[in-house]
Amino acid sequence: MAMGIGEILSQLGSIAASLMFVYAMYEQFCPSDLRKFVENYKHKFTDLMSPYIQITFNESSGERLKQSETYTIIQTYLGANSSKRAKRLEAEVVEDSQSPLVLSMDDNEEIEDEFNGVKVWWSANSKAPRRKASSGRSFDVVRCFTLTFHKRHRDLITSSYIQHVLEQGKAIIFKNRRLKLYTNNGGCWWMSGWSHTNFAHPARFETLAMEPEKKEEIINDLVKFKKGKEYYAKVGKAWKRGYLLYGPPGTGKSTMISAIANFMNYDVYDLELTTVKDNNELKTLLIETSSKSVIVIEDIDCSLELTGQRKKKKEKDHTDKNENKEKTDKKSEEEDEDDDNDDEEEEEKRKSNVTLSGLLNSIDGIWSSCGGERIIIFTTNFVDKLDPALIRRGRMDKHIEMSYCRYQAFKVLAKNYLDVESHGDLFPIIEKLLGETNMSPADVAENLMPKSTTEDAESCLKNLIQYLEIAKEKEEEEAKKNGEKAQLVAGKDKQELAQNYRMNRWRRQVKNMRNFFGSC
């Protein structure tokens, strides 16, 4: 039996040697045309016998052999989902990413994936490029991913699975990217376009000083908006949502914007209207904003003269006659002030010519549909100053009042700054004082923050109580003064009414006497 195995092995060795000799002679003496013919039919025979199909995704494509976006997306998908099972990995450090270390399959590595119960195989390979780049650069190899699957699943893979891979890969890239903070013009009126820096504000809804019910309402609204692509298309509206944040200074409007951006994982575009030259430039800037972004106009009541413009337009006709007369009178004076007027005209040219109508059309007109998944936020300290057309529902869909700090908001701040959730003696006092005093969350936070290494949580809480008591006394004194002024004004009004009543009665008596003597 042992001799039989030895004979078989020797025969196999001789056969292998013979095949290698024949293959070497074939490579050496067979014409190239014949070899191509044989190779072609060899692949056809292999494809006929094999039940599997392969799709190749090259790293570079096009005449210039540019980096393929599809290859990058597939690499991201495999790195996040399937490369955990790979034994040979390649590491790469990517800038501007929340996950700077990116792992991907090394060459000649194969992994298995599953979709709707169907198994597929991905392999990373390298091959020689078919041509050189038109730029003159040469590439030794071109990397690629090869997808292998059974031919009976061809329709499922080509119609659903590849689309699934691309969508998941894009979502992972978007999730891992570093958020950007954009600003227009860089604060210079003679420049145009957006400049950006990394957005690294740590604000989150968990640390936001606000009543839990109100906070939950905002979060639910944001989640519904993020998942509402089909709904907005169904109702025929652009996929955008407007938020109006209003309230006294220091109530957390800017912090709310940062929390929204971090929660949605959106870039922030801080639009400074005073540096926008006209309505056309405003449209251009808004078109250049990307999807999945938050567009912010802070203190919109101070950004431009957007209030009272309609009233001014109505009063224009009434003042035309007076203006013509004033122009004639001032003509001689203007001749003496030419130098000053030149400076004023130059300054006037630098002022923004953005109008209320232009702003409305940009954020809610036809141009607002150039892109989707955008949140537009206005902030103001004085909501009554804004034109009703600017903040109506449909433009600013949700109005959020950022009010003074109350007890629930204080508990969040105490947890953030002091890591304290309760205090049997001091918390009830603070709750009572906050209900009687209007204090912004910024002032409360400042008093809770330890000023030295020797201050502990209890001393900080006592400092806040002292500050609240002082603020309460000031408010009571102010209210008392206002009450005395109101009484004084009311007393004067009563005296004027009584005097007017006496004068009117005297005039009636005089009139009656004249009528009496006149009839006589």
Side-chain angles (χ1 to χ4, degrees):
M1 186 69 180
M3 293 294 295
I5 295 175
E7 291 177 357
I8 293 173
L9 291 176
S10 63
Q11 291 179 1
L12 290 176
S14 62
I15 293 173
S18 301
L19 291 175
M20 291 178 63
F21 175 77
V22 172
Y23 182 76
M25 297 296 294
Y26 166 78
E27 288 286 335
Q28 185 70 24
F29 298 105
C30 184
S32 60
D33 293 338
L34 179 59
R35 277 188 293 171
K36 289 181 180 179
F37 180 81
V38 173
E39 288 290 331
N40 186 25
Y41 274 89
K42 184 185 73 173
H43 286 302
K44 287 184 178 180
F45 177 77
T46 304
D47 294 341
L48 182 64
M49 299 300 294
S50 175
Y52 293 98
I53 297 175
Q54 291 185 337
I55 301 177
T56 301
F57 300 90
N58 293 322
E59 179 183 17
S60 303
S61 61
E63 293 183 356
R64 297 182 179 274
L65 294 180
K66 293 182 178 179
Q67 179 82 16
S68 172
E69 182 181 0
T70 302
Y71 179 90
T72 304
I73 294 173
I74 294 174
Q75 183 183 38
T76 303
Y77 170 81
L78 295 177
N81 295 283
S82 302
S83 292
K84 296 177 181 179
R85 298 186 293 272
K87 295 182 178 180
R88 293 191 303 273
L89 298 172
E90 185 178 80
E92 181 182 2
V93 178
V94 179
E95 297 181 357
D96 295 336
S97 173
Q98 295 182 9
S99 300
L101 183 63
V102 177
L103 299 177
S104 59
M105 292 189 300
D106 200 359
D107 288 347
N108 302 319
E109 179 72 4
E110 183 178 287
I111 58 175
E112 181 181 291
D113 195 16
E114 187 173 338
F115 178 73
N116 291 345
V118 176
K119 290 184 178 181
V120 299
W121 294 267
W122 287 95
S123 60
N125 305 294
S126 300
K127 63 180 182 178
R130 295 181 180 179
R131 60 182 182 275
K132 292 184 179 181
S134 60
S135 60
R137 296 173 58 196
S138 60
F139 296 85
D140 295 333
V141 294
V142 174
R143 303 188 65 181
C144 62
F145 287 117
T146 301
L147 172 63
T148 304
F149 55 91
H150 200 282
K151 60 183 179 181
R152 67 170 174 265
H153 303 304
R154 182 186 189 118
D155 292 339
L156 175 66
I157 300 302
T158 56
S159 62
S160 300
Y161 175 69
I162 294 179
Q163 184 66 27
H164 164 76
V165 171
L166 296 178
E167 290 178 354
Q168 290 295 315
K170 289 179 182 178
I172 296 170
I173 291 175
F174 175 76
K175 180 180 179 181
N176 292 335
R177 70 194 174 99
R178 183 71 61 85
L179 296 184
K180 301 292 185 183
L181 173 61
Y182 293 83
T183 182
N184 58 306
N185 303 336
C188 302
W189 65 270
W190 60 86
M191 297 175 60
S192 61
W194 295 100
S195 59
H196 71 270
T197 184
N198 289 333
F199 180 75
H201 200 290
R204 306 185 310 277
F205 276 105
E206 293 82 1
T207 60
L208 194 64
M210 180 180 284
E211 289 74 12
E213 298 80 9
K214 197 172 183 179
K215 193 186 304 184
E216 188 68 22
E217 179 185 347
I218 298 171
I219 293 175
N220 292 336
D221 190 82
L222 291 170
V223 171
K224 185 177 180 181
F225 168 77
K226 194 170 188 177
K227 298 179 179 179
K229 182 177 181 180
E230 292 78 9
Y231 177 79
Y232 277 84
K234 175 184 175 182
V235 300
K237 290 184 63 176
W239 192 11
K240 66 179 184 63
R241 190 153 180 83
Y243 288 84
L244 175 67
L245 308 182
Y246 65 95
T251 52
K253 294 184 285 294
S254 298
T255 306
M256 169 66 77
I257 294 170
S258 301
I260 290 175
N262 287 326
F263 179 79
M264 302 293 282
N265 200 32
Y266 285 1
D267 291 328
V268 179
Y269 288 83
D270 184 13
L271 180 58
E272 180 57 55
L273 287 179
T274 56
T275 61
V276 181
K277 290 183 287 189
D278 51 34
N279 294 333
N280 290 330
E281 184 177 338
L282 176 61
K283 291 177 182 178
T284 301
L285 285 170
L286 292 177
I287 290 174
E288 291 176 354
T289 60
S290 63
S291 298
K292 300 181 184 294
S293 61
V294 180
I295 302 172
V296 181
I297 303 179
E298 292 199 81
D299 297 322
I300 190 170
D301 54 305
C302 303
S303 298
L304 288 176
E305 186 58 35
L306 298 175
T307 59
Q309 290 189 2
R310 301 182 183 186
K311 183 178 179 181
K312 291 178 182 178
K313 187 175 180 180
K314 291 179 181 179
E315 294 175 351
K316 184 178 180 181
D317 295 335
H318 179 71
T319 58
D320 280 344
K321 294 181 180 180
N322 295 332
E323 287 179 357
N324 292 333
K325 184 178 179 181
E326 290 175 0
K327 287 179 181 178
T328 304
D329 296 337
K330 293 180 179 179
K331 187 174 182 180
S332 58
E333 297 177 2
E334 290 177 351
E335 293 177 353
D336 298 333
E337 300 176 354
D338 287 340
D339 294 337
D340 295 337
N341 288 338
D342 290 340
D343 295 337
E344 292 178 1
E345 288 176 2
E346 185 65 24
E347 185 68 24
E348 189 68 23
K349 289 180 182 179
R350 299 184 183 183
K351 290 184 178 180
S352 174
N353 292 319
V354 175
T355 63
L356 176 62
S357 175
L359 179 60
L360 297 181
N361 291 332
S362 298
I363 65 174
D364 194 37
I366 297 176
W367 290 97
S368 66
S369 61
C370 299
E373 200 169 353
R374 289 187 176 99
I375 294 177
I376 302 174
I377 299 179
F378 292 166
T379 70
T380 180
N381 295 335
F382 307 99
V383 67
D384 296 335
K385 290 184 177 181
L386 299 179
D387 192 299
L390 185 65
I391 59 175
R392 68 165 176 82
R393 306 292 178 172
R395 289 196 175 104
M396 293 295 103
D397 305 282
K398 191 172 184 61
H399 295 188
I400 302 174
E401 182 181 5
M402 308 297 292
S403 59
Y404 293 105
C405 185
R406 298 302 178 225
Y407 183 62
Q408 294 298 327
F410 156 75
K411 290 174 67 176
V412 176
L413 293 174
K415 175 65 176 176
N416 294 341
Y417 286 85
L418 303 175
D419 200 21
V420 173
E421 296 183 1
S422 63
H423 193 290
D425 297 330
L426 302 181
F427 268 42
I429 299 175
I430 295 174
E431 180 180 7
K432 182 176 181 297
L433 290 172
L434 286 174
E436 300 171 347
T437 309
N438 290 330
M439 182 174 292
S440 67
D443 289 334
V444 173
E446 178 61 26
N447 284 277
L448 287 177
M449 182 181 296
K451 305 301 186 299
S452 66
T453 56
T454 59
E455 285 189 324
D456 57 6
E458 185 172 351
S459 62
C460 291
L461 291 174
K462 290 181 179 179
N463 290 337
L464 175 61
I465 291 175
Q466 183 179 2
Y467 189 81
L468 285 170
E469 290 175 345
I470 294 173
K472 180 182 176 182
E473 292 177 0
K474 289 182 178 179
E475 288 186 3
E476 291 176 350
E477 291 177 359
E478 189 68 24
K480 184 178 180 180
K481 291 180 181 179
N482 292 334
E484 292 176 352
K485 290 180 180 179
Q487 291 179 358
L488 182 61
V489 171
K492 290 182 178 179
D493 291 340
K494 289 180 179 180
Q495 292 179 0
E496 290 179 359
L497 288 173
Q499 186 176 359
N500 291 336
Y501 175 77
R502 288 193 297 269
M503 289 295 296
N504 291 333
R505 186 176 61 178
W506 179 79
R507 287 170 183 166
R508 287 195 300 270
Q509 291 175 352
V510 171
K511 184 178 180 180
N512 292 334
M513 292 177 64
R514 286 178 179 175
N515 293 335
F516 175 77
F517 288 110
S519 61
C520 296

